[in-house]
């Protein structure tokens, strides 16, 4: 049951039975993987990450499916625009950003765009696309949402209309999706990849509307959390670690009873403020079901911008598994809470075609 709650990133472009990620899957330590096109510590002479070409990534996904249990989640962030892992360098067609697509004010255009994205994700062997972004386009100079044009619009109705089409086309292709980043990252000036971000003075209640409306439509597979801090919602913890936000706001007020997946637990907002054990404990108790560890964090550099330490951990899956097992054994996380997540994930994974 614990393994279903863990999703990890890894470094290889091809795998064998001795590759750590394959061993983690076979040993029942992880229930999902996430693939990337590049490594963050790029001044190391590293092996290529996961995505080199269409043929290669299709073989990689097939191999992971073969060694994994039924329902193994194989995920990618394929939003269009700047957030594309299946990119031109790997021989894929590239698609415009969500913001630019929505400017056309034509849902047929959105549908063609979403269908193209779904086609390349599905035919490459993935079963999860961590999209669409349903944050509102409020802070236009935000380096993580606004400037990258990841949001469809500042207007909730426009976001919902376009996101609904995007989700529908991913579903037609047999993909699971995740709306992100709850409870709304669009007004944030800072970037949670880098560190602590407080949105207390800028966040607006209307940022909940896309989540509320899409959940009401019953088209959502997963909701991804944001690591932002908002003292209006919780005076102590960022949203991923807040029971008031996840169990109270999302599950209680908005009525979401499905899977909640964390944003990357290796972001600066987490690493600079919590130990791995404490972050895992708080997230699970808050109501998060799948903990995502990209294993692709930015490494520390010297004054000449040379990487001085490679933070990649080939054993991350086993380590997270053992932390959760310890938390349960010590009574800090109830076994019932693990079973709750397992049941949600199992119901969702049964929808994979």
């Amino acid at each position: 049951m614990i393994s279903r709650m863990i999703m990890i990133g890894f470094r290889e472009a091809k795998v064998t039975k001795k590759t750590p990620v394959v061993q983690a899957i076979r040993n029942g330590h992880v229930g999902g993987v996430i693939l990337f096109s590049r490594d963050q510590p790029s001044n190391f002479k590293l092996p290529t990450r996961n995505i080199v070409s269409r043929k290669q990534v299709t073989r990689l996904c097939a191999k992971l499916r073969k060694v994994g249990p039924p329902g193994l989640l194989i995920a990618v962030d394929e939003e269009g625009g700047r957030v594309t892992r299946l990119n031109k360098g790997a021989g894929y067609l590239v698609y415009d950003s969500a913001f630019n697509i929505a400017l056309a004010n034509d849902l047929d255009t959105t549908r063609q765009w979403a269908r193209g994205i779904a086609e390349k994700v599905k035919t490459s062997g993935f079963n999860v696309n961590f999209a669409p972004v349903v944050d509102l386009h409020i802070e236009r100079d935000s380096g993580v949402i606004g400037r990258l044009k990841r949001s469809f619009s500042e207007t909730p109705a426009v976001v919902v209309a376009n996101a609904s089409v995007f989700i529908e086309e991913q579903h037609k292709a047999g993909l699971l999706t995740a709306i992100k980043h709850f409870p709304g990252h669009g007004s944030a000036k800072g970037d949670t990849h880098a560190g602590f971000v407080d949105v207390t003075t800028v966040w607006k209640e209307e940022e909940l509307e896309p989540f509320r409306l899409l959940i009401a439509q019953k088209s959502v597979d997963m909701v991804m959390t944001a690591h932002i801090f908002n003292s209006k919602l919780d005076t102590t913890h960022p949203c991923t670690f807040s029971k008031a936000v996840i169990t109270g706001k999302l599950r209680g007020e908005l009525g979401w009873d499905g899977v909640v997946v964390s944003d990357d637990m290796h972001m600066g907002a987490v690493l600079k403020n919590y130990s791995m054990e404490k972050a895992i404990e708080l997230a699970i108790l808050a109501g998060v079901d799948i903990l995502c560890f990209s294993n692709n964090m930015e490494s520390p550099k010297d004054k000449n911008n040379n990487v001085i330490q490679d933070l990649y951990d080939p054993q991350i899956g086993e380590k997270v598994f053992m932390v959760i097992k310890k938390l349960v054994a010590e009574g800090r996380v109830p076994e019932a809470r693990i079973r709750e997540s397992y049941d949600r994930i199992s119901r969702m994974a049964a929808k994979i075609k």
Side-chain angles (χ1 to χ4, degrees):
M1 290 191 289
I2 290 172
S3 69
R4 298 301 292 267
M5 300 178 69
I6 303 170
M7 176 176 283
I8 63 168
F10 60 99
R11 202 167 254 171
E12 293 79 12
K14 64 179 182 179
V15 295
T16 69
K17 63 182 180 181
K18 294 183 179 180
T19 306
V21 68
V22 170
Q23 293 178 345
I25 293 169
R26 283 183 161 169
N27 291 339
H29 291 147
V30 303
V33 292
I34 181 167
L35 275 59
F36 292 92
S37 53
R38 66 184 179 89
D39 266 293
Q40 292 291 355
S42 54
N43 19 359
F44 268 127
K45 291 184 178 178
L46 297 169
T48 305
R49 188 69 182 187
N50 309 125
I51 299 168
V52 179
S53 69
R54 191 164 194 148
K55 186 175 182 180
Q56 166 270 326
V57 76
T58 303
R59 286 178 174 173
L60 175 58
C61 289
K63 181 72 172 180
L64 293 168
R65 280 198 310 276
K66 185 176 180 180
V67 300
L72 179 75
L73 302 179
I74 306 176
V76 69
D77 296 298
E78 195 63 28
E79 301 172 10
R82 294 280 293 278
V83 181
T84 177
R85 317 301 188 200
L86 307 175
N87 54 40
K88 199 175 199 178
Y92 289 93
L93 288 174
V94 293
Y95 293 87
D96 211 341
S97 68
F99 183 80
N100 287 346
I101 288 296
L103 283 178
N105 195 28
D106 178 9
L107 292 182
D108 286 338
T109 298
T110 301
R111 188 171 298 282
Q112 292 176 16
W113 167 79
R115 187 175 297 153
I117 291 174
E119 185 273 338
K120 70 174 180 175
V121 173
K122 180 63 176 180
T123 58
S124 296
F126 298 93
N127 51 33
V128 176
N129 186 1
F130 279 144
V133 168
V134 300
D135 302 313
L136 300 185
H137 188 73
I138 296 172
E139 177 50 64
R140 305 198 175 196
D141 197 38
S142 161
V144 68
I145 302 293
R147 266 185 287 165
L148 299 183
K149 299 184 176 181
R150 296 171 69 190
S151 166
F152 289 107
S153 172
E154 64 186 26
T155 305
V158 175
V159 171
V160 171
N162 285 274
S164 296
V165 169
F166 185 96
I167 292 169
E168 185 179 334
E169 290 302 318
Q170 309 308 296
H171 284 173
K172 285 180 182 176
L175 297 168
L176 299 173
T177 62
I179 58 174
K180 56 189 187 183
H181 308 80
F182 188 83
H185 208 303
S187 58
K189 294 185 183 345
D191 183 353
T192 48
H193 291 83
F196 182 81
V197 175
D198 187 346
V199 300
T200 302
T201 61
V202 295
W203 184 85
K204 302 174 182 177
E205 191 78 18
E206 70 171 348
E207 295 184 56
L208 292 173
E209 280 307 289
F211 297 96
R212 189 190 310 276
L213 294 170
L214 288 165
I215 287 169
Q217 290 178 5
K218 301 191 181 301
S219 61
V220 176
D221 301 305
M222 287 178 274
V223 177
M224 181 179 286
T225 66
H227 298 325
I228 53 173
F229 175 79
N230 186 344
S231 65
K232 293 176 182 174
L233 303 178
D234 189 316
T235 58
T236 306
H237 299 300
C239 296
T240 297
F241 310 116
S242 169
K243 190 169 184 178
V245 172
I246 306 302
T247 299
K249 204 80 172 170
L250 178 57
R251 297 203 185 281
E253 182 180 320
L254 272 62
W256 177 239
D257 62 355
V259 172
V260 174
V261 57
S262 76
D263 206 344
D264 182 13
M265 297 285 283
H266 273 157
M267 285 184 180
V270 181
L271 292 177
K272 294 178 181 179
N273 296 286
Y274 299 94
S275 67
M276 183 171 76
E277 183 173 305
K278 194 62 180 177
I280 291 170
E281 179 185 4
L282 288 172
I284 294 174
L285 292 177
V288 174
D289 300 303
I290 296 176
L291 302 164
C292 185
F293 289 82
S294 71
N295 213 8
N296 193 26
M297 65 198 108
E298 192 76 47
S299 293
K301 300 175 183 178
D302 63 19
K303 61 183 179 180
N304 297 316
N305 206 38
N306 296 310
V307 173
I308 56 178
Q309 181 186 7
D310 185 2
L311 298 179
Y312 178 76
D313 186 351
Q315 305 302 323
I316 188 66
E318 180 182 4
K319 289 179 181 178
V320 175
F321 179 90
M322 295 308 295
V323 166
I324 299 176
K325 191 173 180 180
K326 176 189 174 192
L327 291 171
V328 174
E330 293 178 353
R332 291 157 63 187
V333 170
E335 184 177 320
R337 178 66 197 82
I338 304 299
R339 188 177 297 279
E340 188 177 59
S341 287
Y342 174 79
D343 289 343
R344 289 187 188 121
I345 298 164
S346 297
R347 286 195 299 269
M348 180 188 72
K351 298 190 291 185
I352 295 173
K353 298 177 184 177

